[in-house]
Structure formats: structure tokens, C-alpha cells
Amino acid sequence: MTTKIVFHGSDIEKICEYYHLNKEDIVKFGANVNPLGLSSKVRDALASNIDLFSSYPDRNYTSLRNTISEYCNIPADFILPGNGSSELISLLIQERAPKHTLILGPTYSEYSRELSFSGSTQEYYHLQEERDFCLDIDDLCKTLENGYDFLILCNPNNPTSSAITQNELRKLIAFCAKHNIFVMIDETYVEFAPDINEITAVPLTQEFTNLVVLRGVSKFYAAPGMRLGYGVTGNMDFLAKMREKQTPWSLNSLGAYAGELMFKDQEYIQKTRNLILSERDKLYKELKELPTYKVYPAYANFILLKIQKPGLTSSDAFEACIKEGLMIRDCASFQCLDGEFIRFCIMMPEDNTRLLNVLKQL
């Protein structure tokens, strides 16, 4: 018997070792990172301000929070910067100490990992493939009546690329408020949405105190190594308790400075959105014409495909692509995803064309 090997989207070293490839030759369609790379303005400014490493950052990150406040149109007092969204997820769960958690799945595995340290039970509410992974709010609310006190969802969701509108979120969060259920929404991919204002929950933090929204710079700003994330909540008591437990200066001086520059770089923001939105639409339309795959509406910078060709597996598709130096994501490791699924993010046009040609040949 042969054991099927499933790689994570960031397992580039393992993949190269297994397939005897050089990572410099791989196009990373599995990592969901902006293909434009770091903003040139940010890169140049960081190189000129390396001496910031010789100073402690402002413990309250006042300037960074003010910049994020303008970027999100939300009060600066609502904002807690952190060492990536991973630190904030951990702090939130640690402080909230939920007993019964419901996770909207399939989704990112880090939520489950952090919950495993908290003593909370954790169950999944499955998005249904038959509904193109679009959420049935009424059905979810019925499920939440079964004793849950914490709800986690990613919007747009990874790996389905589906999204919940702000109006639907308002209805859901209001229901949760009545039933004493705290809600965490991960908006890692929200800046890639066709209309950010249609789906972001950030404005809802001014209406509800049972809500924390998390964002970061890893994907849209192509800075996963910077480890800059931020949480937004209108619950001042809860935010203060999270800050109390946070390691002082968890975000370094250069990262805090870079964050200010990133959120003000309108040229980079627009260039990214133009690239992702146009290429995503083009790929979506072409893939819809292929009987080999079912393609789902995409709000994030990646597209999920279900393989419908008999005998063709997600592992087969991964191997065919990696042999051409194209690393997609085999979704076999995602919870609640039954069937043969692959996911790939939007890269530069010439790379997207190469991938499309491989997928057409399968």
C-alpha cells in the first residue's frame, strides 16, 4: 500500500525535497500570498530605517492604531495590534475561555489547534457543497441554540472562497448576542473581495460587543514573515483584558513602522485589487467551461475546484501541476470537505495561464 502524502500550502521545503525540485523554480499557487510581493515603497523605506531595531516600539502602538483607524474607518480605541493573527486568536481564546465552540467548516486548522489548548469542546458546522458552500444563516442559528458559547468563522472562507454578506452577519451576530454567544470573524482575505464593504464585519463592532474581527498583512500585503495582525472590537473591557495578557512589544519596531506604510500605500492597494479581480474573473470563466471541474464563486484570492472526472484524484492533479513547477493545494486535509478538491490562488497572468493549461489537460 502507498500512503497518500498531503502537503500544507506553505510546505515548500518538504515538497521540493520529495519531488527533487528547487524552490526557486516553484510558483506557489498554494500559499495565497499576493504575487506582487512586498510594496516597493515599503521595501525601500524599511531598508532606510533599519536603525528602528535599536529602539523599542511604542508600547501602545499609537501611530499604527491611528493609521489602521483611518484604513478601517473605525475608532483607534477599538484596535489591538499583535504578532500576527495567530497571537490574537490565542489571546482571544485564552481570555474568552469558551466551553462549547462551533467552527464554520471547512476552514483554517489554526482555530482548532488553539482551542485544543483551552479545554473547550469544538464541533464543526458544515458548509454544504450543494449550496456552493454558501451559508444558510437560519439553519446555523438553529444549531447555535444547542448550548454553544463561541462561534468562529473565516470570511471570506478558506478554502471555499465563499463569503457571508454584512447584512447576513448582522442577523447572525444579533442572534448570538441574544444567546450569549461570542463571535470571532477572521477577515484575512477580505481585501481581495470584489466589494469589501459588502462583506466586512468591522463596522458591526460599533453595534455589537460580542464580536472581534481579526485581520493581518500576510496575504494581501505579501508580508507573512512580518507577523503583523490586528483585532477590532467595540468591547473595551474584553480588549483591555486581551492587552493585559499580551506579551509587551509583541510586534517589533520595524513591523509597526511597515504597517503604517502599507495601509497608506493606495497605489499598491489598487494595483493588487486590479490584478486579483481581473485574473480571478478570467480564470473562473474559463474553468466554468471545463466538465472536469466544478468551480465555486470566489471572494478571496483563490479558487476552489471539485474534480468531477472519474478516476482523477486531487493527488493526481497536485502531481501533474508540481511536475510543471506549479504548487497548488490538495484539499484532502481540510475537515468537512468530502470529495476530490483542489485550491489555487491567483498569481501573475503568465503563471495563471500555465496552470490553466495543465488543468485543461487533466
Side-chain angles (χ1 to χ4, degrees):
M1 290 181 63
T2 57
T3 303
K4 180 179 177 180
I5 298 178
V6 179
F7 299 99
H8 185 271
S10 60
D11 283 345
I12 186 70
E13 286 81 10
K14 291 180 183 177
I15 290 168
C16 288
E17 181 182 357
Y18 187 82
Y19 289 100
H20 308 292
L21 300 169
N22 296 318
K23 67 178 181 179
E24 294 77 16
D25 301 328
I26 303 295
V27 182
K28 301 175 187 176
F29 280 95
N32 298 344
V33 174
N34 184 344
L36 294 178
L38 198 64
S39 156
S40 58
K41 289 181 183 177
V42 173
R43 188 187 302 112
D44 293 343
L46 290 177
S48 302
N49 288 273
I50 199 72
D51 286 343
L52 281 170
F53 274 140
S54 298
S55 306
Y56 282 100
D58 166 20
R59 189 160 180 161
N60 293 317
Y61 299 102
T62 305
S63 183
L64 174 61
R65 288 192 298 110
N66 286 336
T67 300
I68 296 172
S69 171
E70 291 182 21
Y71 179 70
C72 293
N73 194 28
I74 206 78
D77 288 346
F78 282 34
I79 298 161
L80 178 64
N83 190 251
S85 58
S86 296
E87 183 202 24
L88 297 168
I89 292 169
S90 178
L91 280 171
L92 192 160
I93 291 173
Q94 180 185 352
E95 179 53 41
R96 190 64 198 172
K99 292 181 173 58
H100 305 293
T101 301
L102 189 64
I103 305 171
L104 201 67
T107 197
Y108 181 49
S109 61
E110 189 67 19
Y111 313 137
S112 177
R113 178 183 175 276
E114 288 297 336
L115 282 166
S116 68
F117 303 136
S118 72
S120 173
T121 63
Q122 49 180 295
E123 296 172 30
Y124 283 88
Y125 177 88
H126 296 214
L127 292 170
Q128 299 300 311
E129 189 273 335
E130 295 79 11
R131 289 177 52 90
D132 288 344
F133 299 107
C134 292
L135 178 62
D136 182 334
I137 293 287
D138 292 333
D139 188 65
L140 174 59
C141 288
K142 287 178 185 176
T143 303
L144 284 166
E145 290 178 335
N146 297 324
Y148 297 102
D149 60 351
F150 191 40
L151 172 65
I152 295 177
L153 57 93
C154 182
N155 194 44
N157 188 44
N158 176 20
T160 60
S161 209
S162 55
I164 310 166
T165 66
Q166 189 181 106
N167 286 336
E168 291 174 319
L169 288 170
R170 180 179 282 107
K171 179 179 177 181
L172 174 61
I173 297 163
F175 175 89
C176 289
K178 290 178 183 176
H179 292 79
N180 198 29
I181 300 168
F182 202 84
V183 182
M184 186 196 92
I185 301 179
D186 183 346
E187 289 192 348
T188 294
Y189 299 101
V190 76
E191 285 107 334
F192 294 112
D195 182 353
I196 299 170
N197 293 326
E198 182 190 8
I199 65 170
T200 180
V202 166
L204 302 182
T205 60
Q206 297 187 91
E207 297 179 36
F208 301 99
T209 57
N210 63 320
L211 171 65
V212 171
V213 179
L214 302 181
R215 288 189 182 181
V217 301
S218 294
K219 307 301 185 180
F220 188 87
Y221 292 96
M226 190 169 290
R227 309 312 307 140
L228 166 57
Y230 57 98
V232 182
T233 183
N235 189 326
M236 295 296 100
D237 290 340
F238 186 71
L239 188 146
K241 289 174 182 176
M242 284 181 66
R243 183 181 286 121
E244 238 176 65
K245 293 187 176 179
Q246 187 177 33
T247 303
W249 305 294
S250 68
L251 176 61
N252 67 65
S253 301
L254 211 58
Y257 173 66
E260 294 182 47
L261 300 174
M262 287 173 172
F263 298 126
K264 293 176 181 176
D265 192 346
Q266 290 301 319
E267 182 181 351
Y268 177 88
I269 291 169
Q270 196 55 54
K271 187 176 180 181
T272 295
R273 287 184 54 77
N274 290 344
L275 170 67
I276 300 301
L277 271 61
S278 62
E279 285 295 299
R280 181 176 57 206
D281 286 349
K282 182 186 79 175
L283 288 164
Y284 179 83
K285 287 173 184 175
E286 293 216 34
L287 288 163
K288 285 279 284 185
E289 300 299 316
L290 302 178
T292 304
Y293 313 100
K294 179 178 180 181
V295 57
Y296 304 90
Y299 288 80
N301 65 324
F302 49 84
I303 295 175
L304 181 72
L305 301 180
K306 182 177 185 180
I307 298 171
Q308 301 189 119
K309 184 176 181 178
L312 180 64
T313 68
S314 56
S315 181
D316 294 335
F318 178 88
E319 287 224 336
C321 291
I322 199 64
K323 286 176 181 176
E324 296 297 324
L326 310 172
M327 187 191 80
I328 63 171
R329 180 72 189 269
D330 178 350
C331 294
S333 62
F334 278 98
Q335 293 253 15
C336 327
L337 207 56
D338 298 324
E340 298 294 330
F341 291 87
I342 55 174
R343 186 202 71 195
F344 64 88
C345 65
I346 310 303
M347 300 298 283
M348 298 304 285
E350 59 273 19
D351 295 320
N352 297 331
T353 299
R354 285 178 59 203
L355 177 63
L356 189 60
N357 288 337
V358 175
L359 293 175
K360 283 180 177 179
Q361 293 168 18
L362 295 177

